[in-house]
């Protein structure tokens, strides 16, 4: 069952390793979808309030707030742009003179038609109605022809006078608006009363047709001046005081009141397509930023789905809380404890990842509401202090000290923010800043400690505090091992010292290595006397068993050990030490016995179930386990000597070896058999491990030098 489970895990691991890009894509899509839902979700509170409709309830401000009113700002800018002084006109001073000359020319043509005796009345009327410069209607033409010379002269004089007076009273400057107003409001009421009605109509027509626009708007220059005027207007701020009434029940909601409700966070406006696309883009940018960071700087996590799940959770949680309670954070920015997620990220993974997530979350928080910039800055400062203060999360005190640094960082940043504001800072604000900063640090310390342990289990990471608990001698499995297999327990303690020293020298996880060594042989508790560690002066039970049965009983301690560990909820990383510490090595003693007794032997019947070591820590344990057992066996049989030289070989019994020789032989044998092929140990690591083993074992066994034999007995004095 253990082998089958391992093969399934190996297959899944292989699929993930070969398709980790798709894992990253799925992670990014999931994060984008979740963030988009958070950004676009609208609370049902006050959504029934609409501009231009009576308010169904009375709403008062729940906090002090100063915000830039887009509505008031736009109104002021529109007023500035519409100032008449921004209008620029182009004037043609020659048009009026040209038009008056044309009017006089028209009079001359009319005079010639009136005075032409060769034309009858119908012909005269026809020519007047077809004047190219100023065509007249039949009615007007008949009025002109019926008038005697004196009357006609008065019509011409009154036309010229009205024309000149109109220009003079309008400063000889006419635009389209002015001209239209003159025709409607001025000319009809300033016609000469000395003329008949039909004669006044002739005057009105001639003046209207002669007046022309000489003043036109310079569109380009006017728009430039209007834009300059708009840009010169500063943003209009609006102050809202806590408890101030914003809208009363039954009152028609104005656009300004609606804006205030939105800025206060008391109502969520309709997003529209632009708002939705903006929030979707923000979610995409966050997912892309985190995905790029994982791909470039945290590539090993792409094959670790459970770790990605934890990262996703820790990224989404603070954004969700910020979205839900942004009003609270705006009032008390020191209380937004972003470090609660930053510390577990740093402790479970690394500082770089914690910094990236904290920075992205802080940026998002700044977009969540008016005035949220201070919330993002102060919370990021606290997260930064927590990340670099936690270091090794192996004690509760480490989290407490991180909480102290967080409180200091939050307080300092909040005070800087308040001091640079134009209104300054009061002693009451300083007192509240101190209180909330201390609360931030204290709550962060407690919450991050809990999250660290809980999320460590979710991610499949055994935390230092869990390891310390597992390493305590009162741990039930260790006490059982001590009582039921004391020899194995002693062997495990020695191996743990040996492996821990080597792990420290090559930069591996020393605490994990030590605890893994404590538990690697717990499977021997079921049949302790089948192992030489626990036989003492007993007879060897294997003398009465065939080699294959003995080999199976020996190999079973790996399988049984994994079962016992999982039954007692031992973390999987410790179980890896149990199943990997022998790899797929051959149980050589019984294999050799079988070869001597039988003609054909299947070597696979004499192998440990494996798998081979997959990490530096389990590989170190395999080497330490084999070396310690061999050195102890040599020492017990008297075959272990001090450091040897070739010219001293004749002084030691045949088969004796030094500790260095035993270490090198044991390690070389496992390298040759391929047991380290799947571990990340380098040749440099192996050389360092050899040196560490020799130094540690010499301190444990310290074989004495061989004294030379006495040539003659000492003579009594």
């Amino acid at each position: 069952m253990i082998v089958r489970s391992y093969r399934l895990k190996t297959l899944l691991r292989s699929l993930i390793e070969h398709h980790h890009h798709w894992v990253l894509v799925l992670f990014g899509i999931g994060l984008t979808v979740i963030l988009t839902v958070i950004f676009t979700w609208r609370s049902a509170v006050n959504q029934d309030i609409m501009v231009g409709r009576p308010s169904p309830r009375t709403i008062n401000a729940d906090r002090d707030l100063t915000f830039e009113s887009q509505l008031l700002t736009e109104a002021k800018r529109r007023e500035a742009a519409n100032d008449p002084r921004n209008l620029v006109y182009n004037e043609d001073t020659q048009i009026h003179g040209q038009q008056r000359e044309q009017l006089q020319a028209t009079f001359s043509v009319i005079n010639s038609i009136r005075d032409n005796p060769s034309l009858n009345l119908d012909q005269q009327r026809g020519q007047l109605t077809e004047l190219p410069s100023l065509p007249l209607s039949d009615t007007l033409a008949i009025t002109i022809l019926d008038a005697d010379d004196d009357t006609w002269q008065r019509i011409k004089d009154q036309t010229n006078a009205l024309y000149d007076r109109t220009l003079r009273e309008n400063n000889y400057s006419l635009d389209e608006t002015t001209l239209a107003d003159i025709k409607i409001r001025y000319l009809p009421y300033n016609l000469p009363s000395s003329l008949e009605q039909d004669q006044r109509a002739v005057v009105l027509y001639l003046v209207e047709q002669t007046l022309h626009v000489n003043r036109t708007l310079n569109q380009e220059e006017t728009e430039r001046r209007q834009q300059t005027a708009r840009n010169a207007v500063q943003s209009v701020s609006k102050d809202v005081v806590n408890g101030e009434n914003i809208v009363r029940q039954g009152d028609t909601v104005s656009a300004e009141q609606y804006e205030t409700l939105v800025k206060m966070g008391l109502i969520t406006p309709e997003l529209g397509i632009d708002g939705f696309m903006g929030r979707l883009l923000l979610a995409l940018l966050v997912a892309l930023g985190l995905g790029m960071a994982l791909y470039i700087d945290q590539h090993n996590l792409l094959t670790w789905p459970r770790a990605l799940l934890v990262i996703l959770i820790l990224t989404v949680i603070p954004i969700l809380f910020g979205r839900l309670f942004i009003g609270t954070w705006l009032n008390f920015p020191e209380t937004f404890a972003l470090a609660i997620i930053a510390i577990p990220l740093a402790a479970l993974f690394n500082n770089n990842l914690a910094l990236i997530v904290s920075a992205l979350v802080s940026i998002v928080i700044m977009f969540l509401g008016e005035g949220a910039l201070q919330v993002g800055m102060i919370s990021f400062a606290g997260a930064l202090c927590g990340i670099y203060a936690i270091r090794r999360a192996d004690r509760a005190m480490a989290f407490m000290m991180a909480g102290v640094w967080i409180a200091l960082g939050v307080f300092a940043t909040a005070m800087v923010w308040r001091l640079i504001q134009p209104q300054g800072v009061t002693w009451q604000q300083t007192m509240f800043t101190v209180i909330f900063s201390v609360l931030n640090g204290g709550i962060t310390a407690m919450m991050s400690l809990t999250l660290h342990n809980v999320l460590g289990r979710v991610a499949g990471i055994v935390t230092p505090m869990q390891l310390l608990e597992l390493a305590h001698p009162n741990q039930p499995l260790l006490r059982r091992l001590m009582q039921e297999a004391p020899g194995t327990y002693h062997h495990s303690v020695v191996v743990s010292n040996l492996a821990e020293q080597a792990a420290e020298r090559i930069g591996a996880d020393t605490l994990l290595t030590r605890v893994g060594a404590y538990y690697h042989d717990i499977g021997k508790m079921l049949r302790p006397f089948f192992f030489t560690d626990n036989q003492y002066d007993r007879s060897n039970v294997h003398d009465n068993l065939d080699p294959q049965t003995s080999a199976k009983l020996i190999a079973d301690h790996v399988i049984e050990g994994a079962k016992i560990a999982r039954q007692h909820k031992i973390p999987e990383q410790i179980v890896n030490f149990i199943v990997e510490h022998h790899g797929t090595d051959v149980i050589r003693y019984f294999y050799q016995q079988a070869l001597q007794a039988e003609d054909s032997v299947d070597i696979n019947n004499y192998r440990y179930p494996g798998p081979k070591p997959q990490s530096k820590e389990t590989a170190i344990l395999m080497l330490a386990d084999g070396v310690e057992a061999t050195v102890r066996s040599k020492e017990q049989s008297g075959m272990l000597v001090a450091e040897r030289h070739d010219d001293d070989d004749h002084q030691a019994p045949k088969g004796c070896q030094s500790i260095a020789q035993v270490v090198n032989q044991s390690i070389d044998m496992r390298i040759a058999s391929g047991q380290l092929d799947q571990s990340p140990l380098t040749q440099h690591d192996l050389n360092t491990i050899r040196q560490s083993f020799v130094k540690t074992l010499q301190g444990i066994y310290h074989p004495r030098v061989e004294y030379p034999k006495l040539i003659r007995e000492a003579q009594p004095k």
Side-chain angles (χ1 to χ4, degrees):
M1 182 63 70
I2 296 295
V3 176
R4 187 178 302 171
S5 175
Y6 168 73
R7 288 175 179 171
L8 179 60
K9 290 180 180 179
T10 303
L11 177 61
L12 291 175
R13 185 184 303 168
S14 176
L15 287 173
I16 292 173
E17 287 177 353
H18 287 86
H19 299 87
H20 61 270
H21 294 90
W22 287 109
V23 174
L24 184 59
V25 170
L26 291 175
F27 174 84
I29 292 174
L31 181 57
T32 301
V33 170
I34 294 172
L35 292 182
T36 302
V37 171
I38 293 175
F39 294 157
T40 58
W41 172 79
R42 299 178 70 224
S43 170
V45 178
N46 296 328
Q47 297 305 322
D48 54 350
I49 295 179
M50 292 177 285
V51 176
R53 299 286 299 276
S55 174
R57 64 187 62 84
T58 297
I59 303 177
N60 297 326
D62 59 357
R63 66 180 187 278
D64 294 340
L65 179 66
T66 299
F67 66 91
E68 292 182 0
S69 173
Q70 296 178 356
L71 195 67
L72 298 179
T73 301
E74 181 58 29
K76 192 170 183 179
R77 287 174 178 171
R78 188 165 52 249
E79 179 184 352
N82 292 335
D83 190 327
R85 289 174 293 181
N86 294 326
L87 300 177
V88 179
Y89 291 92
N90 296 327
E91 289 196 22
D92 188 347
T93 57
Q94 298 179 356
I95 287 180
H96 296 319
Q98 294 171 353
Q99 288 299 111
R100 200 174 195 288
E101 291 177 0
Q102 185 176 351
L103 177 62
Q104 303 311 312
T106 301
F107 286 156
S108 297
V109 172
I110 294 174
N111 287 337
S112 65
I113 295 173
R114 277 171 52 91
D115 297 337
N116 191 343
S118 63
L119 299 175
N120 59 35
L121 185 61
D122 289 338
Q123 290 174 332
Q124 289 176 330
R125 183 177 54 79
Q127 289 188 8
L128 288 178
T129 58
E130 295 178 359
L131 288 176
S133 59
L134 199 63
L136 300 171
S137 66
D138 287 342
T139 303
L140 294 177
I142 292 172
T143 301
I144 291 173
L145 292 173
D146 288 344
D148 56 29
D149 291 341
D150 292 338
T151 303
W152 171 237
Q153 185 62 42
R154 286 200 306 274
I155 291 174
K156 291 190 295 182
D157 293 342
Q158 291 296 331
T159 300
N160 289 328
L162 182 58
Y163 178 79
D164 293 339
R165 187 169 67 252
T166 302
L167 291 178
R168 186 171 56 253
E169 291 183 1
N170 287 278
N171 297 320
Y172 299 92
S173 179
L174 301 180
D175 57 25
E176 291 183 356
T177 303
T178 305
L179 182 57
D181 189 64
I182 287 172
K183 290 180 179 181
I184 296 173
R185 301 179 183 278
Y186 181 80
L187 293 178
Y189 303 101
N190 286 275
L191 293 172
S193 59
S194 60
L195 297 176
E196 300 292 336
Q197 180 67 31
D198 54 350
Q199 295 169 355
R200 287 199 297 268
V202 173
V203 173
L204 179 62
Y205 175 76
L206 292 174
V207 173
E208 284 183 346
Q209 296 302 311
T210 305
L211 289 172
H212 274 64
V213 171
N214 75 325
R215 184 169 178 255
T216 58
L217 184 67
N218 186 331
Q219 193 70 31
E220 182 178 349
E221 181 63 19
T222 297
E223 289 179 355
R224 187 189 68 78
R225 290 194 180 188
Q226 288 177 336
Q227 188 60 47
T228 301
R230 287 181 61 88
N231 295 340
V233 175
Q234 299 295 324
S235 297
V236 178
S237 295
K238 182 175 181 179
D239 296 323
V240 182
V241 181
N242 187 13
E244 176 184 341
N245 177 257
I246 300 176
V247 63
R248 289 184 174 84
Q249 183 178 3
D251 289 351
T252 301
V253 180
S254 67
E256 184 179 345
Q257 290 172 322
Y258 189 84
E259 181 189 41
T260 304
L261 290 172
V262 171
K263 296 299 183 181
M264 293 290 295
L266 299 174
I267 189 172
T268 306
E270 291 284 350
L271 292 178
I273 186 64
D274 291 341
F276 175 79
M277 292 304 297
R279 286 158 176 77
L280 175 61
L281 181 59
L282 178 60
L284 280 171
L285 290 175
V286 173
L288 181 62
L290 184 53
M292 291 288 290
L294 290 171
Y295 184 78
I296 295 172
D297 193 43
Q298 312 289 332
H299 202 270
N300 61 307
L301 296 180
L302 300 184
T303 58
W304 198 351
R306 294 173 65 181
L308 291 178
L309 176 62
V310 169
I311 295 170
L312 182 67
I313 292 172
L314 292 178
T315 303
V316 168
I317 285 177
I319 295 176
L320 177 61
F321 273 81
R323 176 71 173 80
L324 293 176
F325 306 109
I326 187 63
T328 302
W329 312 132
L330 292 176
N331 283 334
F332 312 106
E334 303 88 351
T335 59
F336 190 74
L338 181 59
I340 289 178
I341 63 102
I343 289 179
L345 281 170
L348 293 174
F349 303 104
N350 54 66
N351 288 358
N352 288 344
L353 180 61
L355 279 173
I356 292 166
V357 173
S358 299
L360 288 173
V361 172
S362 299
I363 293 172
V364 170
I365 294 300
M366 295 177 189
F367 281 94
L368 291 183
E370 292 286 338
L373 176 63
Q374 58 181 339
V375 181
M377 291 177 58
I378 294 171
S379 62
F380 181 72
L384 192 65
C385 292
I387 290 169
Y388 286 105
I390 191 63
R391 295 184 182 177
R392 293 187 59 181
D394 54 356
R395 294 286 190 279
M397 184 55 66
F399 289 86
M400 296 299 107
M401 289 304 301
V404 172
W405 283 105
I406 291 167
L408 292 174
V410 168
F411 173 76
T413 310
M415 287 303 299
V416 168
W417 177 268
R418 295 188 186 282
L419 288 170
I420 64 176
Q421 299 305 307
Q423 62 269 27
V425 61
T426 63
W427 69 269
Q428 293 97 332
Q429 290 175 326
T430 303
M431 181 183 67
F432 280 116
T433 300
V434 171
I435 294 173
F436 290 136
S437 298
V438 172
L439 286 175
N440 189 327
I443 293 173
T444 297
M446 293 184 290
M447 292 293 296
S448 60
L449 175 59
T450 303
L451 281 176
H452 176 244
N453 291 321
V454 172
L455 294 176
R457 296 180 184 275
V458 175
I461 301 173
V462 57
T463 64
M465 298 190 71
Q466 285 179 280
L467 290 174
L468 290 172
E469 292 176 3
L470 291 171
H472 198 282
N474 285 332
Q475 213 284 336
L477 274 182
L478 290 185
R479 287 191 62 81
R480 257 186 79 187
L481 183 64
M482 188 188 309
Q483 295 169 355
E484 298 176 17
T488 298
Y489 176 79
H490 174 72
H491 159 72
S492 298
V493 172
V494 175
V495 169
S496 70
N497 292 330
L498 195 62
E500 183 181 24
Q501 294 296 322
E504 184 175 7
R505 291 198 175 196
I506 68 168
D509 191 327
T510 56
L511 184 57
L512 177 63
T513 304
R514 183 177 191 87
V515 176
Y518 284 159
Y519 288 86
H520 79 282
D521 271 343
I522 57 173
K524 293 181 179 180
M525 291 189 303
L526 295 181
R527 305 181 187 91
F529 299 115
F530 280 78
F531 302 89
T532 56
D533 302 341
N534 308 298
Q535 287 177 352
Y536 310 117
D537 56 350
R538 293 172 178 268
S539 60
N540 192 340
V541 295
H542 295 286
D543 293 340
N544 300 319
L545 300 173
D546 62 274
Q548 185 171 340
T549 301
S550 294
K552 184 178 184 307
L553 291 171
I554 295 297
D556 278 350
H557 88 276
V558 172
I559 299 173
E560 297 299 332
K563 288 181 180 178
I564 293 172
R566 290 190 173 105
Q567 287 171 358
H568 286 76
K569 308 299 182 183
I570 301 297
E572 199 63 26
Q573 286 175 280
I574 303 300
V575 176
N576 291 339
F577 283 86
I578 299 173
V579 298
E580 295 176 14
H581 78 277
H582 283 298
T584 58
D585 206 3
V586 178
I587 306 174
R588 290 177 178 81
Y589 180 82
F590 296 112
Y591 179 59
Q592 292 297 330
Q593 278 191 346
L595 288 176
Q596 294 173 4
E598 302 176 27
D599 295 333
S600 177
V601 178
D602 185 357
I603 192 172
N604 291 323
N605 293 330
Y606 296 86
R607 287 189 182 276
Y608 287 99
K612 296 178 181 179
Q614 306 293 310
S615 65
K616 285 186 177 183
E617 291 78 13
T618 55
I620 292 172
L621 177 64
M622 167 184 273
L623 299 177
D625 186 51
V627 165
E628 194 281 330
T630 305
V631 170
R632 177 163 42 85
S633 176
K634 290 283 186 181
E635 193 270 341
Q636 290 175 352
S637 60
M639 304 301 287
L640 191 69
V641 297
E643 199 64 38
R644 297 177 52 184
H645 302 283
D646 293 339
D647 55 358
D648 295 334
D649 286 349
H650 67 281
Q651 297 180 357
K654 185 177 180 180
C656 286
Q657 290 180 301
S658 67
I659 289 177
Q661 288 175 317
V662 173
V663 169
N664 289 329
Q665 181 181 347
S666 179
I667 293 177
D668 290 340
M669 183 171 61
R670 282 163 178 79
I671 293 174
S673 63
Q675 294 304 308
L676 301 180
D677 290 350
Q678 297 177 14
S679 76
L681 290 178
T682 64
Q683 187 61 48
H684 180 267
D685 291 337
L686 289 171
N687 292 335
T688 304
I689 290 170
R690 294 175 196 266
Q691 297 170 9
S692 176
F693 283 175
V694 171
K695 182 177 180 180
T696 305
L697 287 169
Q698 284 177 341
I700 296 174
Y701 292 102
H702 51 273
R704 301 181 183 278
V705 298
E706 297 177 16
Y707 294 101
K709 295 180 180 179
L710 293 176
I711 299 176
R712 60 180 180 178
E713 294 182 0
Q715 298 295 326
K717 293 184 180 180

